[in-house]
Amino acid sequence: SMVGEAIRESGISRSELFLVSKVWGDKIHAGRDAILAQLETTLTSLQTEYLDMYLIHWPVPGYHVKAYQVLEEALAAGKVRSIAVSNYTIE
């Protein structure tokens, strides 16, 4: 991807960058394998071995806990260094 190329060409050390991405609702709805596949695609596109933060982009009713557990797997595997949610509201 253009972003991955720009990062590589910048000459900035990876340790000086904080890369964040998010998993989309359609992937959350599709399940574990789709979430992990999207993460791998993102890592490949950005030409990095890990993300500093990976977010659940938007609440997907009925899938919150399972999606977060998949992100926990990615965290344990070293694919991401932190996980979080975005666009959630107090219900």
Side-chain angles (χ1 to χ4, degrees):
S1 80
M2 292 176 64
V3 174
E5 287 295 317
I7 291 170
R8 186 180 56 77
E9 292 173 5
S10 74
I12 298 171
S13 168
R14 173 64 182 92
S15 64
E16 294 184 44
L17 299 172
F18 193 88
L19 300 178
V20 180
S21 191
K22 54 193 169 190
V23 59
W24 291 94
D26 64 329
K27 304 303 182 200
I28 292 170
H29 192 267
R32 178 184 180 276
D33 292 342
I35 293 169
L36 293 175
Q38 181 182 349
L39 173 58
E40 289 300 326
T41 297
T42 300
L43 293 172
T44 299
S45 294
L46 294 176
Q47 301 179 29
T48 188
E49 294 181 8
Y50 67 92
L51 293 175
D52 295 288
M53 181 179 286
Y54 201 41
L55 303 168
I56 294 176
H57 177 244
W58 200 264
V60 179
Y63 295 85
H64 305 284
V65 174
K66 288 182 182 179
Y68 197 83
Q69 289 170 336
V70 175
L71 269 59
E72 288 178 323
E73 285 181 44
L75 180 68
K79 298 287 185 174
V80 298
R81 296 214 169 152
S82 61
I83 55 178
V85 298
S86 64
N87 298 310
Y88 278 67
T89 60
I90 297 172
E91 296 180 7

